[in-house]
Amino acid sequence: IKGPGYYLLMTKIAYVNLYTKLDSLVPGTCGIACSSADRKAMDEYDDVKRVLYGRHMAPRPDDAAAGKRAMDEAQGMATAAYHGDWGA
């Protein structure tokens, strides 16, 4: 045991927990009068959130598997939009 706050990053549950935790750490809103420091913080937050989302949605914490799953999901959404079939 490594102590509180330690995550074994080879497990899916670590990314599920980290993604959930990250949702509560949004750096703030970045509107029209956003400073460059705020934009940079939001960009970094967005980058980390994208990586964690991919890893927490993948069957295992693997960037290649996460990328494939994200592309499959995007293609499915695009196909549904094209055909007008949203599962309603």
Side-chain angles (χ1 to χ4, degrees):
I1 297 181
K2 300 284 185 177
Y6 176 80
Y7 293 95
L8 179 59
L9 296 180
M10 295 305 294
T11 63
K12 180 177 175 159
I13 193 66
Y15 289 102
V16 171
N17 292 337
L18 288 170
Y19 184 78
T20 302
K21 191 173 195 174
L22 184 68
D23 268 347
S24 67
L25 301 174
V26 178
T29 59
C30 201
I32 198 161
C34 190
S35 71
S36 63
D38 290 339
R39 266 193 308 278
K40 184 176 186 215
M42 191 58 113
D43 285 344
E44 290 174 353
Y45 171 83
D46 187 54
D47 290 345
V48 170
K49 189 164 181 171
R50 287 173 193 262
V51 169
L52 288 180
Y53 176 79
R55 290 181 182 176
H56 112 278
M57 293 300 289
R60 60 190 179 284
D62 176 11
D63 289 338
K68 181 178 178 348
R69 187 180 191 289
M71 285 304 295
D72 291 346
E73 185 176 307
Q75 287 173 341
M77 290 172 63
T79 300
Y82 180 76
H83 293 292
D85 177 23
W86 291 97

Coordinates of all heavy atoms in Angstrom, one line a residue:
I1 N 0.9 -1.2 0.0 CA 0.0 0.0 0.0 C 0.9 1.2 0.0 O 1.8 1.3 0.8 CB -0.9 0.0 1.2 CG1 -1.9 -1.2 1.1 CG2 -1.7 1.3 1.3 CD1 -2.8 -1.3 2.2
K2 N 0.6 2.1 -0.9 CA 1.4 3.3 -1.1 C 0.9 4.5 -0.3 O 1.6 5.5 -0.1 CB 1.5 3.7 -2.5 CG 2.1 2.7 -3.4 CD 3.6 2.6 -3.3 CE 4.2 1.6 -4.2 NZ 5.6 1.6 -4.2
G3 N -0.3 4.5 0.2 CA -0.8 5.6 1.0 C -2.0 6.2 0.3 O -2.3 5.9 -0.8
P4 N -2.6 7.2 1.0 CA -3.8 7.8 0.5 C -3.5 8.7 -0.7 O -2.4 9.3 -0.8 CB -4.3 8.7 1.6 CG -3.2 8.9 2.5 CD -2.3 7.7 2.4
G5 N -4.3 8.6 -1.7 CA -4.1 9.4 -2.9 C -3.3 8.7 -4.0 O -3.0 9.2 -5.1
Y6 N -2.8 7.5 -3.7 CA -2.0 6.7 -4.7 C -2.9 5.9 -5.6 O -3.9 5.3 -5.1 CB -1.1 5.7 -3.9 CG -0.3 4.9 -4.8 CD1 0.9 5.3 -5.5 CD2 -0.7 3.6 -5.1 CE1 1.6 4.5 -6.3 CE2 0.0 2.8 -6.0 CZ 1.2 3.3 -6.6 OH 1.9 2.5 -7.4
Y7 N -2.7 6.0 -6.9 CA -3.5 5.3 -7.9 C -2.5 4.4 -8.7 O -1.5 4.9 -9.2 CB -4.2 6.2 -8.8 CG -5.2 7.1 -8.2 CD1 -5.0 8.3 -7.7 CD2 -6.5 6.6 -8.0 CE1 -5.9 9.1 -7.1 CE2 -7.5 7.3 -7.4 CZ -7.2 8.6 -6.9 OH -8.2 9.3 -6.3
L8 N -2.9 3.1 -8.8 CA -2.1 2.2 -9.7 C -2.7 2.5 -11.1 O -3.8 2.1 -11.4 CB -2.3 0.8 -9.3 CG -1.6 -0.3 -10.1 CD1 -0.1 0.0 -10.2 CD2 -1.9 -1.7 -9.7
L9 N -1.9 3.1 -11.9 CA -2.4 3.6 -13.2 C -2.5 2.5 -14.3 O -2.8 2.8 -15.4 CB -1.5 4.8 -13.7 CG -1.6 6.0 -12.9 CD1 -0.7 7.1 -13.4 CD2 -3.0 6.5 -12.7
M10 N -2.3 1.3 -13.9 CA -2.5 0.2 -14.8 C -3.9 -0.5 -14.7 O -4.2 -1.5 -15.2 CB -1.4 -0.9 -14.7 CG 0.0 -0.4 -15.0 SD 0.1 0.3 -16.7 CE -0.2 -1.2 -17.7
T11 N -4.7 0.2 -13.8 CA -6.1 -0.3 -13.6 C -7.1 0.7 -14.1 O -6.9 1.9 -14.1 CB -6.3 -0.6 -12.1 OG1 -6.2 0.6 -11.4 CG2 -5.3 -1.6 -11.6
K12 N -8.2 0.1 -14.6 CA -9.2 1.0 -15.1 C -9.9 1.8 -14.0 O -10.2 3.0 -14.2 CB -10.3 0.1 -15.8 CG -11.4 1.0 -16.4 CD -12.4 0.1 -17.2 CE -13.6 1.0 -17.6 NZ -14.3 0.5 -18.6
I13 N -10.1 1.2 -12.9 CA -10.7 1.9 -11.8 C -10.0 3.2 -11.4 O -10.6 4.2 -10.9 CB -11.0 1.0 -10.5 CG1 -11.9 1.6 -9.5 CG2 -9.7 0.6 -9.9 CD1 -13.3 1.8 -10.1
A14 N -8.7 3.2 -11.5 CA -7.9 4.4 -11.2 C -8.3 5.5 -12.1 O -8.5 6.7 -11.7 CB -6.4 4.1 -11.4
Y15 N -8.5 5.3 -13.4 CA -8.9 6.3 -14.3 C -10.4 6.7 -14.1 O -10.7 7.9 -14.3 CB -8.7 5.9 -15.8 CG -7.2 5.9 -16.0 CD1 -6.5 4.7 -16.0 CD2 -6.5 7.0 -16.2 CE1 -5.1 4.7 -16.3 CE2 -5.1 7.0 -16.4 CZ -4.4 5.9 -16.4 OH -3.1 5.9 -16.6
V16 N -11.2 5.8 -13.7 CA -12.6 6.1 -13.4 C -12.6 7.1 -12.2 O -13.3 8.1 -12.2 CB -13.4 4.9 -13.1 CG1 -14.8 5.2 -12.5 CG2 -13.6 4.0 -14.3
N17 N -11.8 6.8 -11.2 CA -11.8 7.7 -10.0 C -11.1 9.0 -10.3 O -11.6 10.1 -9.9 CB -11.0 7.0 -8.9 CG -11.7 5.8 -8.3 OD1 -12.9 5.7 -8.4 ND2 -11.0 4.9 -7.7
L18 N -10.0 9.0 -11.1 CA -9.4 10.3 -11.4 C -10.3 11.2 -12.3 O -10.3 12.4 -12.1 CB -8.0 10.0 -12.1 CG -6.9 9.5 -11.2 CD1 -5.7 9.0 -12.1 CD2 -6.5 10.5 -10.2
Y19 N -11.0 10.5 -13.3 CA -11.9 11.3 -14.1 C -13.0 12.0 -13.3 O -13.3 13.1 -13.5 CB -12.5 10.4 -15.2 CG -13.3 11.2 -16.2 CD1 -12.8 11.9 -17.2 CD2 -14.7 11.1 -16.1 CE1 -13.5 12.6 -18.1 CE2 -15.5 11.8 -17.0 CZ -14.9 12.6 -18.0 OH -15.7 13.3 -18.9
T20 N -13.5 11.2 -12.3 CA -14.6 11.7 -11.5 C -14.0 12.9 -10.6 O -14.7 13.9 -10.5 CB -15.2 10.6 -10.6 OG1 -15.7 9.6 -11.4 CG2 -16.2 11.1 -9.7
K21 N -12.8 12.7 -10.1 CA -12.2 13.7 -9.3 C -11.9 15.0 -10.1 O -12.1 16.1 -9.6 CB -10.9 13.2 -8.7 CG -10.3 14.0 -7.6 CD -9.2 13.3 -6.9 CE -8.8 13.9 -5.7 NZ -7.8 13.2 -5.0
L22 N -11.5 14.8 -11.3 CA -11.1 15.9 -12.2 C -12.3 16.8 -12.5 O -12.2 18.0 -12.6 CB -10.5 15.4 -13.5 CG -10.0 16.5 -14.4 CD1 -8.8 17.2 -13.8 CD2 -9.6 15.9 -15.8
D23 N -13.5 16.2 -12.6 CA -14.7 17.0 -12.8 C -15.0 18.1 -11.8 O -15.6 19.1 -12.1 CB -15.9 16.1 -12.9 CG -16.2 15.6 -14.3 OD1 -15.7 16.2 -15.3 OD2 -17.0 14.7 -14.4
S24 N -14.5 17.8 -10.6 CA -14.7 18.8 -9.5 C -13.6 19.9 -9.5 O -13.6 20.8 -8.6 CB -14.8 18.1 -8.2 OG -13.6 17.5 -7.8
L25 N -12.6 19.8 -10.4 CA -11.5 20.7 -10.3 C -11.4 21.6 -11.6 O -10.3 22.0 -12.0 CB -10.2 19.9 -10.2 CG -10.0 18.9 -9.0 CD1 -8.8 18.1 -9.1 CD2 -10.0 19.8 -7.7
V26 N -12.5 21.9 -12.1 CA -12.5 22.8 -13.3 C -11.9 24.1 -13.0 O -12.2 24.7 -11.9 CB -14.0 23.0 -13.8 CG1 -14.0 23.9 -15.0 CG2 -14.6 21.7 -14.1
P27 N -10.9 24.6 -13.8 CA -10.2 25.8 -13.4 C -11.0 27.1 -13.5 O -10.5 28.2 -13.2 CB -9.0 25.8 -14.4 CG -9.4 25.0 -15.5 CD -10.4 24.0 -15.0
G28 N -12.2 27.1 -13.8 CA -13.1 28.3 -13.9 C -13.6 28.4 -15.3 O -13.4 27.6 -16.2
T29 N -14.3 29.5 -15.5 CA -14.9 29.7 -16.8 C -14.0 30.6 -17.6 O -13.3 31.4 -17.1 CB -16.3 30.3 -16.7 OG1 -16.2 31.6 -16.0 CG2 -17.3 29.4 -16.0
C30 N -14.0 30.4 -18.9 CA -13.1 31.2 -19.8 C -14.0 31.8 -20.8 O -14.2 31.3 -21.9 CB -12.1 30.3 -20.4 SG -10.6 31.1 -21.0
G31 N -14.5 33.0 -20.5 CA -15.4 33.7 -21.5 C -14.6 34.6 -22.4 O -13.4 34.4 -22.7
I32 N -15.3 35.7 -22.8 CA -14.7 36.6 -23.8 C -13.5 37.4 -23.3 O -12.6 37.8 -24.0 CB -15.8 37.5 -24.4 CG1 -15.3 38.1 -25.7 CG2 -16.2 38.6 -23.4 CD1 -16.4 38.6 -26.5
A33 N -13.5 37.7 -22.0 CA -12.4 38.5 -21.4 C -11.4 37.5 -20.6 O -11.0 37.8 -19.5 CB -13.0 39.5 -20.4
C34 N -11.1 36.5 -21.3 CA -10.2 35.5 -20.6 C -8.7 35.8 -20.8 O -8.3 36.1 -21.9 CB -10.5 34.1 -21.3 SG -9.8 32.7 -20.5
S35 N -8.0 35.7 -19.8 CA -6.5 36.0 -19.9 C -5.8 34.9 -20.5 O -6.3 33.7 -20.6 CB -5.9 36.3 -18.5 OG -5.9 35.1 -17.7
S36 N -4.6 35.1 -21.0 CA -3.8 34.0 -21.6 C -3.5 32.9 -20.6 O -3.5 31.7 -20.9 CB -2.6 34.5 -22.3 OG -1.7 35.1 -21.3
A37 N -3.3 33.3 -19.3 CA -3.0 32.3 -18.3 C -4.2 31.4 -18.0 O -4.1 30.2 -17.9 CB -2.6 33.0 -17.0
D38 N -5.4 32.1 -18.0 CA -6.7 31.3 -17.8 C -6.9 30.4 -19.0 O -7.3 29.2 -18.9 CB -7.9 32.2 -17.7 CG -7.8 33.0 -16.3 OD1 -7.2 32.5 -15.4 OD2 -8.5 34.0 -16.3
R39 N -6.6 30.8 -20.3 CA -6.8 30.0 -21.4 C -5.9 28.8 -21.4 O -6.2 27.7 -21.7 CB -6.5 30.8 -22.7 CG -7.8 31.4 -23.3 CD -7.6 31.9 -24.7 NE -6.4 32.8 -24.9 CZ -6.5 34.1 -24.6 NH1 -7.6 34.7 -24.2 NH2 -5.4 34.9 -24.7
K40 N -4.6 29.1 -21.0 CA -3.6 28.0 -20.9 C -4.1 26.9 -19.8 O -4.0 25.7 -20.1 CB -2.3 28.5 -20.5 CG -1.2 27.5 -20.5 CD 0.2 28.0 -20.2 CE 1.1 26.9 -20.4 NZ 2.2 26.9 -19.5
A41 N -4.6 27.4 -18.7 CA -5.0 26.5 -17.6 C -6.2 25.7 -18.2 O -6.3 24.5 -17.9 CB -5.4 27.3 -16.4
M42 N -7.1 26.3 -18.9 CA -8.3 25.6 -19.4 C -7.9 24.6 -20.5 O -8.4 23.5 -20.6 CB -9.3 26.6 -20.0 CG -10.6 25.9 -20.3 SD -11.4 25.2 -18.9 CE -12.8 26.2 -18.7
D43 N -6.9 25.0 -21.3 CA -6.4 24.0 -22.4 C -5.7 22.8 -21.7 O -5.9 21.7 -22.2 CB -5.4 24.7 -23.3 CG -6.0 25.7 -24.3 OD1 -7.3 25.6 -24.5 OD2 -5.3 26.5 -24.9
E44 N -4.9 23.0 -20.7 CA -4.3 21.9 -20.0 C -5.3 21.0 -19.3 O -5.2 19.8 -19.4 CB -3.3 22.4 -19.0 CG -2.0 23.1 -19.7 CD -1.1 23.7 -18.7 OE1 -1.4 23.8 -17.5 OE2 0.0 24.2 -19.1
Y45 N -6.3 21.6 -18.7 CA -7.4 20.9 -18.1 C -8.1 20.0 -19.1 O -8.4 18.8 -18.9 CB -8.4 21.8 -17.4 CG -9.6 21.2 -16.9 CD1 -9.7 20.5 -15.7 CD2 -10.8 21.2 -17.7 CE1 -10.8 19.9 -15.3 CE2 -11.9 20.6 -17.2 CZ -11.9 19.9 -16.0 OH -13.1 19.3 -15.6
D46 N -8.4 20.6 -20.3 CA -9.1 19.9 -21.4 C -8.3 18.8 -21.9 O -8.8 17.7 -22.1 CB -9.4 20.9 -22.5 CG -10.3 20.2 -23.6 OD1 -11.3 19.7 -23.2 OD2 -9.9 20.3 -24.7
D47 N -6.9 19.0 -22.0 CA -6.1 17.9 -22.5 C -6.1 16.7 -21.5 O -6.2 15.6 -21.9 CB -4.6 18.4 -22.7 CG -4.5 19.3 -23.8 OD1 -5.4 19.4 -24.7 OD2 -3.4 20.0 -23.9
V48 N -5.9 17.0 -20.3 CA -5.9 16.0 -19.2 C -7.3 15.2 -19.2 O -7.3 14.0 -19.1 CB -5.6 16.5 -17.8 CG1 -5.8 15.5 -16.7 CG2 -4.1 17.0 -17.8
K49 N -8.4 16.0 -19.3 CA -9.7 15.4 -19.2 C -9.9 14.5 -20.4 O -10.5 13.4 -20.3 CB -10.8 16.5 -19.2 CG -12.1 15.9 -18.9 CD -13.1 17.0 -18.5 CE -14.4 16.3 -18.3 NZ -15.4 17.2 -17.7
R50 N -9.4 14.9 -21.6 CA -9.6 14.0 -22.8 C -8.8 12.7 -22.6 O -9.3 11.6 -23.0 CB -9.1 14.7 -24.0 CG -10.0 15.8 -24.5 CD -9.4 16.5 -25.7 NE -10.1 17.8 -26.0 CZ -11.0 17.9 -26.9 NH1 -11.2 16.8 -27.7 NH2 -11.6 19.0 -27.2
V51 N -7.6 12.8 -22.1 CA -6.8 11.5 -21.9 C -7.5 10.7 -20.8 O -7.7 9.5 -21.0 CB -5.4 11.9 -21.4 CG1 -4.6 10.6 -20.9 CG2 -4.6 12.5 -22.6
L52 N -7.9 11.2 -19.7 CA -8.6 10.5 -18.7 C -9.9 9.9 -19.2 O -10.2 8.7 -18.9 CB -8.8 11.3 -17.4 CG -7.6 11.6 -16.6 CD1 -7.9 12.5 -15.4 CD2 -6.8 10.4 -16.2
Y53 N -10.6 10.7 -20.0 CA -11.9 10.1 -20.5 C -11.7 8.9 -21.4 O -12.3 7.9 -21.2 CB -12.6 11.2 -21.3 CG -13.9 10.7 -21.9 CD1 -15.1 10.6 -21.2 CD2 -13.9 10.3 -23.3 CE1 -16.2 10.1 -21.7 CE2 -15.1 9.9 -23.8 CZ -16.2 9.7 -23.1 OH -17.4 9.2 -23.6
G54 N -10.7 9.0 -22.3 CA -10.4 7.9 -23.1 C -10.0 6.7 -22.4 O -10.4 5.6 -22.7
R55 N -9.1 6.9 -21.4 CA -8.6 5.7 -20.6 C -9.7 5.2 -19.7 O -9.7 4.0 -19.4 CB -7.4 6.2 -19.8 CG -6.2 6.4 -20.7 CD -5.0 6.8 -19.9 NE -3.9 7.1 -20.8 CZ -2.7 7.5 -20.4 NH1 -2.5 7.7 -19.1 NH2 -1.8 7.7 -21.2
H56 N -10.6 6.0 -19.2 CA -11.6 5.5 -18.3 C -12.8 4.8 -19.1 O -13.5 4.0 -18.5 CB -12.1 6.5 -17.3 CG -13.5 7.0 -17.4 ND1 -13.9 8.0 -18.4 CD2 -14.6 6.7 -16.8 CE1 -15.2 8.2 -18.2 NE2 -15.6 7.5 -17.3
M57 N -12.9 5.1 -20.3 CA -14.0 4.5 -21.2 C -13.5 3.2 -21.9 O -14.2 2.4 -22.3 CB -14.5 5.5 -22.2 CG -15.3 6.6 -21.6 SD -16.7 6.1 -20.6 CE -17.8 5.5 -21.9
A58 N -12.2 3.1 -22.0 CA -11.6 2.0 -22.7 C -11.7 0.7 -21.8 O -11.8 0.8 -20.6 CB -10.1 2.2 -23.0
P59 N -11.6 -0.5 -22.5 CA -11.7 -1.7 -21.7 C -10.5 -1.9 -20.8 O -10.6 -2.6 -19.8 CB -11.8 -2.8 -22.7 CG -11.5 -2.2 -24.1 CD -11.6 -0.7 -23.9
R60 N -9.4 -1.3 -21.1 CA -8.2 -1.3 -20.3 C -7.5 0.1 -20.5 O -7.7 0.7 -21.5 CB -7.3 -2.5 -20.6 CG -6.8 -2.4 -22.0 CD -6.1 -3.7 -22.4 NE -5.7 -3.7 -23.8 CZ -6.5 -3.8 -24.9 NH1 -7.8 -4.0 -24.7 NH2 -6.0 -3.8 -26.1
P61 N -6.7 0.5 -19.5 CA -6.0 1.8 -19.6 C -4.9 1.8 -20.7 O -3.7 1.7 -20.4 CB -5.5 2.1 -18.2 CG -5.3 0.8 -17.6 CD -6.4 -0.1 -18.2
D62 N -5.3 1.8 -21.9 CA -4.4 1.7 -23.1 C -4.8 2.8 -24.1 O -6.0 2.9 -24.5 CB -4.6 0.3 -23.7 CG -3.7 0.2 -24.9 OD1 -2.9 1.0 -25.3 OD2 -3.9 -0.9 -25.6
D63 N -3.9 3.7 -24.4 CA -4.2 4.9 -25.3 C -4.7 4.4 -26.7 O -5.6 5.0 -27.3 CB -3.1 5.8 -25.4 CG -2.8 6.6 -24.1 OD1 -3.8 6.7 -23.3 OD2 -1.7 7.1 -23.9
A64 N -4.1 3.4 -27.2 CA -4.5 2.9 -28.5 C -5.9 2.3 -28.5 O -6.7 2.6 -29.3 CB -3.5 1.8 -29.0
A65 N -6.2 1.6 -27.4 CA -7.6 1.1 -27.3 C -8.6 2.2 -27.0 O -9.7 2.2 -27.6 CB -7.7 0.1 -26.1
A66 N -8.2 3.2 -26.3 CA -9.0 4.3 -26.0 C -9.3 5.1 -27.3 O -10.4 5.6 -27.5 CB -8.4 5.2 -24.9
G67 N -8.2 5.3 -28.1 CA -8.4 6.0 -29.4 C -9.3 5.3 -30.3 O -10.2 5.9 -31.0
K68 N -9.2 4.0 -30.4 CA -10.1 3.2 -31.2 C -11.5 3.3 -30.8 O -12.4 3.5 -31.6 CB -9.6 1.7 -31.2 CG -10.5 0.9 -32.2 CD -10.0 -0.5 -32.2 CE -10.9 -1.4 -33.1 NZ -12.2 -1.0 -33.5
R69 N -11.7 3.2 -29.5 CA -13.1 3.3 -28.9 C -13.7 4.7 -29.2 O -14.8 4.8 -29.6 CB -13.1 3.0 -27.4 CG -14.5 2.9 -26.9 CD -14.5 2.6 -25.4 NE -15.8 2.3 -24.9 CZ -16.8 3.2 -24.8 NH1 -16.7 4.4 -25.2 NH2 -18.0 2.8 -24.3
A70 N -12.9 5.7 -29.0 CA -13.4 7.1 -29.3 C -13.8 7.2 -30.8 O -14.8 7.8 -31.1 CB -12.3 8.1 -28.9
M71 N -12.9 6.7 -31.7 CA -13.2 6.8 -33.1 C -14.5 6.0 -33.5 O -15.3 6.4 -34.2 CB -12.0 6.3 -33.9 CG -10.9 7.3 -34.0 SD -11.4 8.9 -34.6 CE -11.8 8.5 -36.3
D72 N -14.6 4.8 -32.9 CA -15.8 4.0 -33.1 C -17.1 4.7 -32.7 O -18.1 4.7 -33.3 CB -15.7 2.6 -32.4 CG -14.6 1.7 -33.0 OD1 -14.2 2.0 -34.1 OD2 -14.3 0.7 -32.4
E73 N -17.0 5.3 -31.5 CA -18.1 6.1 -30.9 C -18.4 7.3 -31.8 O -19.6 7.5 -32.1 CB -17.8 6.5 -29.5 CG -18.9 7.2 -28.8 CD -18.5 7.6 -27.4 OE1 -18.0 6.7 -26.6 OE2 -18.7 8.7 -27.0
A74 N -17.4 8.0 -32.3 CA -17.6 9.1 -33.2 C -18.2 8.7 -34.5 O -19.2 9.4 -35.0 CB -16.3 9.9 -33.4
Q75 N -17.8 7.6 -35.1 CA -18.3 7.1 -36.3 C -19.7 6.7 -36.2 O -20.6 6.9 -37.0 CB -17.4 6.0 -36.9 CG -16.1 6.4 -37.4 CD -15.2 5.3 -37.8 OE1 -15.4 4.2 -37.3 NE2 -14.2 5.6 -38.6
G76 N -20.0 6.1 -35.0 CA -21.4 5.6 -34.8 C -22.4 6.8 -34.7 O -23.5 6.8 -35.2
M77 N -21.9 7.9 -34.0 CA -22.7 9.1 -33.9 C -22.9 9.8 -35.2 O -24.0 10.3 -35.5 CB -22.0 10.1 -32.8 CG -22.1 9.6 -31.4 SD -21.2 10.6 -30.2 CE -22.0 12.1 -30.4
A78 N -21.8 9.8 -36.0 CA -21.9 10.5 -37.3 C -22.9 9.7 -38.2 O -23.7 10.3 -39.0 CB -20.5 10.5 -38.0
T79 N -22.8 8.4 -38.2 CA -23.7 7.5 -39.0 C -25.1 7.7 -38.5 O -26.0 7.9 -39.4 CB -23.3 6.0 -38.8 OG1 -22.0 5.9 -39.3 CG2 -24.2 5.2 -39.6
A80 N -25.4 7.8 -37.2 CA -26.7 8.0 -36.7 C -27.2 9.4 -37.2 O -28.4 9.5 -37.6 CB -26.7 7.9 -35.2
A81 N -26.4 10.4 -37.2 CA -26.8 11.7 -37.6 C -27.1 11.7 -39.1 O -28.1 12.4 -39.5 CB -25.7 12.8 -37.3
Y82 N -26.3 11.1 -39.8 CA -26.5 11.0 -41.3 C -27.8 10.3 -41.7 O -28.5 10.8 -42.5 CB -25.3 10.3 -42.0 CG -25.4 10.2 -43.5 CD1 -25.2 11.3 -44.3 CD2 -25.8 9.0 -44.1 CE1 -25.3 11.3 -45.6 CE2 -25.9 8.9 -45.5 CZ -25.7 10.1 -46.2 OH -25.8 10.0 -47.6
H83 N -28.1 9.3 -41.0 CA -29.3 8.5 -41.3 C -30.5 9.0 -40.5 O -31.6 8.5 -40.7 CB -29.1 7.0 -41.0 CG -28.1 6.4 -41.9 ND1 -28.4 6.2 -43.2 CD2 -26.9 5.9 -41.7 CE1 -27.3 5.7 -43.8 NE2 -26.4 5.4 -42.9
G84 N -30.3 10.0 -39.6 CA -31.4 10.5 -38.8 C -31.9 9.5 -37.7 O -33.0 9.6 -37.3
D85 N -31.1 8.6 -37.3 CA -31.5 7.5 -36.4 C -30.7 7.8 -35.1 O -29.6 7.4 -35.0 CB -31.2 6.2 -36.9 CG -31.5 5.1 -36.0 OD1 -32.3 5.3 -35.1 OD2 -30.9 4.0 -36.1
W86 N -31.4 8.4 -34.1 CA -30.7 8.7 -32.8 C -31.2 7.7 -31.8 O -31.0 7.9 -30.6 CB -31.0 10.1 -32.4 CG -30.3 11.1 -33.3 CD1 -30.8 11.7 -34.3 CD2 -28.9 11.4 -33.2 NE1 -29.8 12.5 -34.9 CE2 -28.6 12.4 -34.2 CE3 -27.9 11.1 -32.3 CZ2 -27.4 12.9 -34.4 CZ3 -26.6 11.7 -32.6 CH2 -26.4 12.6 -33.6
G87 N -31.8 6.6 -32.2 CA -32.2 5.6 -31.2 C -33.5 6.0 -30.5 O -33.8 5.5 -29.4
A88 N -34.3 6.9 -31.0 CA -35.5 7.4 -30.3 C -36.6 6.4 -30.5 O -36.7 5.5 -31.3 CB -35.9 8.7 -30.9

